[in-house]
């Protein structure tokens, strides 16, 4: 979870979980369940939400069925991920929940070669120059920055940024890449966004790595 800028606290049972949550409001609750609808902790989640705690819940499950996912959402989950877990996808889903819930704090930034992304207020600047991006442009740029140095296939970008869970015949990724290149790379010697022909894109700094 370090890539998402989070500290991890583990809990093995409901009593310990209740005590932990009573001590402070966490950014997110990540649960690993065999069957989502059989977890007794949903009652605790409901109680805390009724008391005013805004608690995003992401379920990881071994069931991996549509029925189990539906049961998880009906029980109170905000997102669902079946095993085997892809660590990049898990990180992006966590970041997405934090952004949607407003839990992404200002001191957890992504920085790469003069580019700074602040998901708490969705601000972007490069070398001190404020960049104006649309919401989806920010999501795409943040996804690339969070995976700096890694090749991001178009299909994976479509799934993680647009939520397409199927093979979509669309050039939307390429169109948005052109838009953000004009805003992020135009006029700079060091280009951050690079095309991997036939595959997708990668954000690569001239030196150093992306940091949170």
């Amino acid at each position: 979870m370090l890539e998402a800028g989070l500290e991890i606290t583990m809990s093995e049972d409901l009593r310990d979980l209740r005590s932990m949550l009573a001590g402070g409001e966490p950014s997110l609750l990540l649960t690993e369940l065999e069957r989502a609808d059989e977890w007794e902790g949903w009652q605790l989640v409901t109680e805390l939400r009724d008391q005013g705690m805004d608690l995003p819940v992401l379920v990881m499950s071994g069931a991996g069925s549509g029925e189990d996912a539906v049961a998880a959402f009906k029980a109170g989950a905000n997102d669902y991920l079946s095993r085997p877990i892809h660590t990049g996808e898990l990180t992006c889903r966590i970041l997405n929940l934090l952004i949607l819930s407003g839990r992404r704090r200002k001191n957890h930034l992504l920085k790469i070669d003069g580019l700074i992304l602040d998901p708490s207020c969705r601000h972007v600047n490069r070398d001190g120059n404020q960049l104006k991006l649309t919401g989806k442009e920010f999501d795409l740029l943040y996804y690339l920055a969070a995976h700096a140095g890694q090749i991001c296939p178009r299909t994976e970008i479509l799934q993680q940024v647009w939520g397409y869970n199927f093979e979509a015949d669309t050039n939307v990724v390429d169109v948005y890449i052109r838009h953000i290149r004009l805003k992020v790379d135009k006029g700079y010697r060091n280009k951050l966004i690079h095309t991997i022909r036939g595959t997708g894109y990668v954000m690569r700094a001239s030196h150093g790595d992306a940091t949170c």
Side-chain angles (χ1 to χ4, degrees):
M1 302 300 178
L2 295 178
E3 186 178 356
L6 300 177
E7 296 181 0
I8 303 171
T9 303
M10 302 288 291
S11 177
E12 298 294 337
D13 56 56
L14 288 180
R15 178 179 294 180
D16 181 49
L17 179 61
R18 182 182 291 275
S19 176
M20 180 183 70
L21 294 177
E25 191 165 341
S27 297
L28 176 140
L29 178 61
L30 180 64
T31 62
E32 188 169 5
L33 310 171
E34 286 304 318
R35 289 190 58 85
D37 58 346
E38 295 179 355
W39 186 46
E40 296 178 357
W42 290 122
Q43 183 176 349
L44 173 59
V45 171
T46 300
E47 290 176 8
L48 293 171
R49 286 173 172 172
D50 287 344
Q51 294 169 14
M53 180 181 288
D54 182 14
L55 181 61
V57 179
L58 193 159
V59 172
M60 298 189 301
S61 177
S65 67
E67 291 79 6
D68 192 63
V70 169
F73 284 115
K74 286 184 176 181
N78 299 100
D79 203 354
Y80 178 94
L81 190 60
S82 60
R83 291 196 293 265
I85 303 298
H86 185 282
T87 54
E89 180 180 0
L90 175 60
T91 298
C92 285
R93 287 181 180 271
I94 289 173
L95 289 171
N96 186 57
L97 281 178
L98 295 179
I99 292 169
L100 291 174
S101 64
R103 299 290 182 105
R104 189 71 174 166
R105 294 181 172 84
K106 292 183 179 180
N107 61 333
H108 291 147
L109 309 175
L110 280 184
K111 304 177 182 179
I112 178 169
D113 201 16
L115 181 72
I116 301 176
L117 296 95
D118 185 349
S120 67
C121 52
R122 301 177 78 80
H123 283 176
V124 182
N125 71 73
R126 185 170 182 184
D127 294 341
N129 299 313
Q130 190 74 29
L131 308 180
K132 293 184 179 181
L133 274 67
T134 67
K136 193 57 69 177
E137 287 171 353
F138 180 91
D139 293 340
L140 175 55
L141 184 62
Y142 195 92
Y143 181 83
L144 294 174
H147 295 81
Q150 303 176 33
I151 297 174
C152 300
R154 288 179 179 83
T155 53
E156 186 174 296
I157 293 173
L158 281 170
Q159 181 180 18
Q160 300 304 322
V161 179
W162 274 268
Y164 290 1
N165 293 310
F166 53 88
E167 191 72 24
D169 183 17
T170 175
N171 68 340
V172 65
V173 175
D174 304 299
V175 170
Y176 271 79
I177 287 290
R178 287 199 295 269
H179 291 168
I180 64 175
R181 269 179 167 156
L182 289 173
K183 298 178 180 182
V184 173
D185 278 342
K186 186 177 180 180
Y188 290 91
R189 170 185 282 184
N190 299 324
K191 309 301 182 185
L192 297 179
I193 303 170
H194 303 270
T195 301
I196 306 301
R197 184 166 297 180
T199 303
Y201 298 94
V202 61
M203 179 174 285
R204 188 181 297 124
S206 59
H207 59 278
D209 295 319
T211 58
C212 289

